[in-house]
Amino acid sequence: MGSGSTGDPGNPRVGLLVGDGIGREIVPAARDVVDAALAAVALPEVDWVPLPIGSDAISTYGTPTPEHTLVALADLDAWILGPHDSASYPDPFRQQLTPGGAIRKRFDLYANIRPARALPGVRAVSPHMDLVIVRENTEGFYADRNMFAGVGEFMPTPDVGLAVGVVTRAACERIAHTAFRLAQQRRKRVTVVHKANVLSITTGLFRDVCREMGRHYPDVDVDDAHVDAMAAHLVRRGEDYDVIVTENMFGDILSDLAGELSGSLGTAASINASDTKVMAQAAHGAAPDISGRNRANPTAMIMSAAMLLDWLAAVRHEPALGTAAERIRGAVERTVASGVVTADLGGLASTSEFTESVIARVFRR
Ligand code: ATP
């Protein structure tokens, strides 16, 4: 990480992977907002490192995830990944791990952190929801990532499908620590979500290990819930929850539910993190239906970049990066509240108009 001998970590070095579809519009928007926020709090610039990924990389390098991109990422502090439209890739790439999946696996980005909080002025089913889903990202039933070699889903005959779910103590411990540490900075409450009445060995282990880790955080209240009950609770009283920690598939499903309850796809931010690397990635896809038309909502990507700054602030012990993240969140909220919103939220603003409005407000507190 940067020039080590003086203890100065140097400027953050952040990879810029625009991806496909609206990634070409929303990733540069997020970069420009980060640049503005750092300038607004008088911090040195980020060193951006553009790297090929997705369909452009297929045209130039014959693969959506070039090895030299992965090698370059290892040298960086963090990166922003735009969405990929892997369904449009030619065979055999369509069948392979997506670029995002390949990066998550290569760098063991075990924590997928997805906040769900309604933006003031955006019509939401749950306008008072303010929670974070901490999703275990490396095992469970997700066949593309839960095996050292091969995939965890197979077919012994054309009429039989089998899937292997993996839950290990080590993975439960580290994701539990992530959730409890996060709760300490918030309202100090963690809900462990499982299905231990049916999947008692696997999700029962998840529940028990998370509860065990909770004993190291006496200032945090813990409870647990079955995933099916949790879906109903989120709809009925989502505002009661603070941090929800859960295994991979439950987290995938619940975070989409919470994202939709608290706003829309265009506003749902996320990061994927290990102890040493972080990747900002909007929760939505490449939206090919609107790409290239300056209509995409860059909010999710911009808010994901703000989360990336928060994460860097913590690992680099540079609280000013967190102040820059706060500036970004405040500017997005004020922009949206002023009625400058993109078409997905019922407005008239283009991607660039929205972004310019956020940038102007970053400087104006
Ligand atoms: P994936 O499987 O990669 O998530 P998908 O096709 O399920 O992709 P999206 O690409 O996210 O889903 O698109 C779903 C719908 O939401 C589309 O109509 C798209 O235009 C819209 N959408 C997604 N993201 C945005 C955004 N940032 N701004 C505006 N509309 C968006």
Side-chain angles (χ1 to χ4, degrees):
M1 210 195 266
S3 56
S5 59
T6 59
D8 173 4
N11 296 6
R13 300 186 67 226
V14 180
L16 209 56
L17 303 123
V18 295
D20 304 320
I22 59 171
R24 299 182 182 95
E25 297 151 73
I26 62 174
V27 172
R31 176 201 59 204
D32 293 350
V33 171
V34 168
D35 282 344
L38 295 179
V41 300
L43 273 177
E45 293 170 353
V46 158
D47 292 338
W48 298 106
V49 182
L51 291 165
I53 202 93
S55 49
D56 288 351
I58 296 178
S59 318
T60 316
Y61 301 101
T63 168
T65 319
E67 179 60 21
H68 74 268
T69 290
L70 296 173
V71 169
L73 290 177
D75 255 359
L76 304 175
D77 301 311
W79 48 90
I80 293 182
L81 175 69
H84 39 70
D85 183 15
S86 38
S88 73
Y89 297 169
D91 274 332
F93 308 118
R94 213 176 329 178
Q95 322 300 335
Q96 295 171 358
L97 210 51
T98 63
I103 295 172
R104 284 193 295 268
K105 194 163 181 175
R106 173 83 157 233
F107 294 99
D108 194 26
L109 302 179
Y110 64 85
N112 180 207
I113 301 182
R114 292 179 65 172
R117 185 167 72 92
L119 290 172
V122 171
R123 213 173 321 131
V125 178
S126 304
H128 305 297
M129 180 178 274
D130 178 9
L131 58 81
V132 181
I133 296 190
V134 176
R135 164 189 173 194
E136 203 294 317
N137 222 4
T138 63
E139 42 184 46
F141 276 97
Y142 276 53
D144 62 343
R145 62 193 81 170
N146 64 5
M147 294 281 143
F148 167 68
V151 289
E153 198 181 27
F154 37 91
M155 225 170 188
T157 78
D159 301 317
V160 178
L162 297 175
V164 175
V166 179
V167 174
T168 65
R169 172 173 288 275
C172 298
E173 284 186 1
R174 64 184 184 174
I175 200 69
H177 284 301
T178 302
F180 283 104
R181 283 195 298 262
L182 180 63
Q184 283 182 316
Q185 297 154 28
R186 291 177 46 94
R187 302 196 304 277
K188 299 188 171 48
R189 178 147 178 236
V190 168
T191 304
V192 182
V193 174
H194 57 89
K195 185 68 184 166
N197 54 340
V198 178
L199 296 166
S200 57
I201 292 177
T202 48
T203 76
L205 180 64
F206 186 89
R207 176 199 58 195
D208 295 346
V209 174
C210 286
R211 278 200 163 269
E212 235 174 275
M213 294 307 109
R215 293 193 203 114
H216 299 285
Y217 303 85
D219 52 331
V220 178
D221 288 335
V222 195
D223 63 358
D224 66 82
H226 292 136
V227 64
D228 44 350
M230 193 67 215
H233 295 327
L234 279 182
V235 173
R236 202 172 306 133
R237 51 182 186 88
E239 64 280 3
D240 289 353
Y241 293 92
D242 181 17
V243 174
I244 292 171
V245 63
T246 190
E247 67 85 50
N248 205 341
M249 183 159 64
F250 299 161
D252 192 9
I253 297 166
L254 290 181
S255 56
D256 265 21
L257 175 61
E260 197 55 41
L261 288 169
S262 63
S264 88
L265 264 182
T267 59
S270 85
I271 54 168
N272 293 275
S274 69
D275 296 332
T276 55
K277 301 284 183 198
V278 65
M279 171 166 83
Q281 191 179 13
H284 58 73
D289 51 334
I290 56 164
S291 83
R293 292 162 57 192
N294 203 15
R295 286 190 54 188
N297 185 352
T299 301
M301 197 75 258
I302 293 170
M303 293 299 228
S304 303
M307 292 176 71
L308 176 149
L309 291 180
D310 278 330
W311 188 93
L312 285 175
V315 299
R316 292 164 63 95
H317 308 291
E318 288 184 60
L321 287 167
T323 311
E326 258 324 303
R327 286 273 187 136
I328 293 175
R329 279 188 286 271
V332 167
E333 285 177 13
R334 292 196 305 280
T335 301
V336 169
S338 76
V340 178
V341 287
T342 44
D344 56 311
L345 298 182
L348 296 171
S350 64
T351 310
S352 42
E353 285 163 349
F354 178 84
T355 306
E356 280 157 24
S357 189
V358 172
I359 288 172
R361 285 179 169 87
V362 157
F363 287 103
R364 270 193 257 132
R365 301 194 79 168

